[in-house]
Amino acid sequence: FQCGVPQVTKANCLNTTEGAITMLVQGGDGPTYTYQWSGPNGYTSTSTITANISMLFPGAYTLTVIDESGVARQCSTVNVGSS
């Protein structure tokens, strides 16, 4: 499967959780995937519904996707900046 190009919303300041990442995943043994995000300050998020995450502090976030066959792939690290 493939990870698309992420759309990133910046946080307004360094200490705010206004950032967001929208990611599209296609292919592989879907249509159900498990999306596991990790990021700064111990941030983690796991979902089988969407790869999108929000209320993020600025920093680097990494998405690992697992398809229905158990195949895992790490997508590119996504940086949420601040304005």
Side-chain angles (χ1 to χ4, degrees):
F1 51 88
Q2 297 177 328
C3 301
V5 176
Q7 293 180 327
V8 179
T9 302
K10 292 181 179 181
N12 286 332
C13 297
L14 288 175
N15 295 323
T16 62
T17 57
E18 297 167 336
I21 301 171
T22 301
M23 179 77 79
L24 177 65
V25 176
Q26 295 178 312
D29 287 335
T32 302
Y33 304 98
T34 299
Y35 306 100
Q36 297 176 335
W37 285 95
S38 61
N41 303 317
Y43 176 88
T44 61
S45 174
T46 301
S47 174
T48 57
I49 299 171
T50 181
N52 304 337
I53 53 176
S54 59
M55 298 183 65
L56 305 176
F57 283 106
Y61 293 81
T62 303
L63 173 63
T64 300
V65 180
I66 304 166
D67 71 10
E68 289 181 355
S69 296
V71 176
R73 176 171 291 153
Q74 184 172 317
C75 299
S76 299
T77 297
V78 180
N79 288 305
V80 174
S82 61
S83 301

